[in-house]
Structures are given as structure tokens and as C-alpha cells.
Amino acid sequence: MLNRRHIRVKVMQSIYAMHQNESDNLEKQEKFLLASIENILDLYLVIISALIELRKKEQIFIEKSKLKHLATPEELNPNLKFINNSILLALEESSTVSIALEKRKINNFQNNDDTVLLLLEDIKQSKFYEDYMTIKSTSFTDERNFIADLFEQIIAPNEKLYNYLEDYKLTWVDDIPLVNTEILKQLKQFPSNDERFKIPKVYKDEEDKEYAINLFRKTVLNETDLEKEYENKTPNWDITRIAKLDTTILKMAICEFLKFPSIPLKVTINEYLEIAKEYSTPNSSVFINGILDNLSKELLTTEKIKKTGRGLM
């Protein structure tokens, strides 16, 4: 689920938080970093649980409507297409999902169903939902496409759900697009046979987890030396007035130059430029690009950079 850029962002945020809090407790901040990454799985499961709860809430609504004293013909003979959708049923009946929800104690929308009810209202008022419910028969592929489109067009961008997730855990703000992309991909590829729905791993492999830890440790433990690499290369910039976030980005990038021999220079530069564009000031990417481009050439000339493998320069 997690890609290298997102790992870099998480490390950047942890180092920046250390500076803001004027903390030198490396072990405590490393634990916070790893916890914030692991919590991405909780976010994933909370959103998956929302899909399950949407079906449950609509089923309860239909059953209650039938019991009305003056129930309408439509209420007595309701359209069950939504609650009988194969994908929603499969998620609800999945042992893999239910075990994961129980193991990580994910019960957000069982304890507080307001968000799901508001989301369900938005769904039912949409033309998209109306069109689906009027089709008499649908194949598994049609049902899968409907849920994928429903998620992409209505659920993922829904402000009520986003606000709930943001309020529940602030560290999730940057993770929501990543998790929504993963869920959408899974919904589009939802298995039509007996193959179990799989909960994704947070890290692609153990190497990525080691990368996160090493990038954090090597940057923090070598900050003074890393700063020396760029402090004389900012003639048009007052070093004391450079944004703290920019100095963090520079140190991390230079750390990758010098201490991660398997990561190509171009990859490092491009990744941190994109991070700077998204998270720092409007001028940051230009400033950082100039420093990293010149510094990489100098470090190559002085043979401080030693990369292994083909095409890594």
C-alpha cells in the first residue's frame, strides 16, 4: 500500500515535529513515526467498514419502513438491489475483513453512525444511485463497476466522511488519498470467484520498512554534517531564514545521496522536489532544485557519492 514517496513524507513530518517540539528523544519520535505508518491500515479498515455499514444501515431502514402503520406499496415491496449488491455482501461476509476489524478494534461507525447515515443520504439522492436502482438485472461485473464508481465519485470525495476522518485522527489527512486509491484499485479488481478479499500490507516488503527507519535515523543522527553540505551553497538565501521544512527536505535528500547507494540520484531529486511543491512554500522547489542539482554534481566530482548498480547516477 505504502510507496516510497509517502514514506519520505512521513519521515519528513516526524523530523519536522522533532524540531518544532525541540525534542532530542530519537527513540520516542521513531516510535511515533512507525505508529503513524501502521495507523494507515486502521484508516483503510475504517473506510472499508463504512462500505459495510452503508449496506447494513440501508437494510435496517428498509425493514423499519415495512413495519410502518401506513407503509406505502414501495415500502412494503422495496427495491433490494443496493443491499443485495454482491460486492457489499462479500465485504460484509469476508472472514479476512471481519478478523482484521476485530483484531484492530475498528468499530467507528457502529458506535457513531451519524457519518454513515449522512453518507447514505448523499448516495441515495444521487442520479448515479437512481440509475443503478432502475436497472432490472445486473451481472457481477455491473455490480462491481457500480461500487467502484460509487466509491470514486461519491464516497471518496465526500466532505462529511473526510471531515470525520480528519477529526478522528489528524495524522490521517495525508494518508486519505493514498488509501482511497488502494481501495478503488481493489474494488475494480474485486475477485468474482472464491478467492478471498485480501487486506493489503502497509509496507510493500521488509526493505521498505527498513528504509523508513534508516532514513529517519541517518538523517537525524547526521544533521550537523548534512547541513554543512549545503550551508555555503545558498549565496542568495539567508541560511537562518530558510524555511525549517526546506532544511528538513534538503537534509533528507543529501542523506539519500550519501548513505543510500541503491537509490538513483535522479529519483532522490525528483521525489523531494515533488514533496517540496506539495508541502512547502511556492519558491521552495526552485530553491531546493538548485541546491540539490549543484550539490549532486559536486559530490560526484569529489567521489563522496558512491552508487551501486546500473543507471544509478
Side-chain angles (χ1 to χ4, degrees):
M1 185 190 303
L2 207 61
N3 56 49
R4 285 285 178 103
R5 181 177 299 173
H6 208 73
I7 290 174
R8 289 178 173 98
V9 168
K10 287 290 186 183
V11 172
M12 176 194 73
Q13 291 170 335
S14 294
I15 296 173
Y16 182 76
M18 279 188 75
H19 293 160
Q20 291 297 98
N21 298 329
E22 297 182 349
S23 169
D24 59 359
N25 192 327
L26 182 69
E27 183 179 356
K28 180 181 178 181
Q29 198 61 41
E30 185 177 304
K31 285 181 179 177
F32 175 80
L33 166 65
L34 295 177
S36 70
I37 292 175
E38 284 295 333
N39 281 335
I40 293 173
L41 182 57
D42 287 350
L43 171 61
Y44 168 89
L45 289 170
V46 167
I47 297 175
I48 289 292
S49 74
L51 289 171
I52 295 170
E53 290 300 317
L54 283 169
R55 199 204 77 82
K56 286 183 178 179
K57 293 296 184 289
E58 179 62 5
Q59 186 172 30
I60 291 170
F61 172 78
I62 288 172
E63 290 170 356
K64 284 184 176 179
S65 297
K66 284 182 179 180
L67 298 176
K68 284 182 181 179
H69 179 60
L70 296 174
T72 65
E74 291 79 10
E75 289 171 331
L76 292 171
N77 186 29
N79 188 335
L80 304 178
K81 273 181 68 68
F82 183 74
I83 66 170
N84 287 340
N85 182 278
S86 301
I87 307 303
L88 296 181
L89 285 169
L91 286 173
E92 185 174 339
E93 294 167 1
S94 168
S95 59
T96 306
V97 172
S98 59
I99 289 170
L101 292 174
E102 183 177 353
K103 182 179 179 180
R104 299 186 74 95
K105 297 180 174 58
I106 304 298
N107 53 14
N108 298 57
F109 300 125
Q110 294 170 23
N111 296 334
N112 180 2
D113 61 5
D114 289 351
T115 301
V116 171
L117 290 173
L118 289 170
L119 183 56
L120 182 59
E121 184 180 344
D122 287 347
I123 290 170
K124 292 171 70 175
Q125 289 178 351
S126 69
K127 181 72 164 54
F128 184 70
Y129 174 87
E130 181 184 337
D131 290 344
Y132 172 74
M133 297 298 282
T134 56
I135 301 172
K136 290 185 178 180
S137 62
T138 50
S139 64
F140 176 85
T141 300
D142 293 332
E143 292 185 326
R144 179 171 59 190
N145 290 342
F146 166 70
I147 295 300
D149 290 342
L150 182 74
F151 184 82
E152 183 175 20
Q153 297 179 34
I154 298 177
I155 297 174
N158 188 271
E159 287 189 14
K160 301 178 184 77
L161 178 60
Y162 181 90
N163 290 338
Y164 170 82
L165 296 172
E166 181 182 21
D167 291 343
Y168 186 78
K169 191 161 290 186
L170 188 59
T171 57
W172 280 352
V173 171
D174 293 310
D175 304 329
I176 293 171
L178 176 83
V179 171
N180 280 340
T181 299
E182 178 66 28
I183 292 175
L184 180 60
K185 181 179 76 173
Q186 286 190 292
L187 291 175
K188 287 181 176 180
Q189 300 171 354
F190 206 96
S192 58
N193 49 31
D194 293 332
E195 182 184 347
R196 272 199 254 173
F197 180 78
K198 295 177 181 177
I199 305 295
K201 295 179 180 179
V202 175
Y203 298 97
K204 184 180 68 175
D205 49 37
E206 194 62 30
E207 186 179 325
D208 272 3
K209 184 175 183 179
E210 291 174 4
Y211 167 73
I213 294 170
N214 288 333
L215 180 60
F216 175 77
R217 288 179 182 174
K218 290 179 179 181
T219 302
V220 172
L221 293 174
N222 296 282
E223 280 197 273
T224 302
D225 291 337
L226 295 170
E227 186 173 326
K228 288 178 182 177
E229 296 292 347
Y230 67 80
E231 63 182 358
N232 295 321
K233 297 177 177 60
T234 56
N236 299 320
W237 300 79
D238 182 349
I239 194 74
T240 62
R241 299 187 66 182
I242 298 173
K244 289 288 185 184
L245 197 57
D246 289 354
T247 61
T248 299
I249 291 171
L250 280 171
K251 289 170 188 174
M252 289 174 63
I254 296 167
C255 183
E256 281 195 19
F257 282 173
L258 301 173
K259 301 182 182 299
F260 290 79
S262 65
I263 301 177
L265 290 176
K266 287 183 179 179
V267 169
T268 294
I269 294 173
N270 289 339
E271 287 290 282
Y272 286 105
L273 285 182
E274 290 303 314
I275 290 171
K277 287 176 185 176
E278 186 171 354
Y279 290 92
S280 200
T281 68
N283 294 324
S284 292
S285 60
V286 176
F287 164 68
I288 289 172
N289 183 47
I291 297 294
L292 294 182
D293 186 53
N294 291 330
L295 184 59
S296 63
K297 292 172 183 175
E298 179 184 311
L299 293 174
L300 281 171
T301 302
T302 57
E303 298 186 349
K304 279 191 175 182
I305 290 180
K306 300 184 188 304
K307 296 292 185 181
T308 59
R310 292 184 179 180
L312 291 180
M313 296 305 182

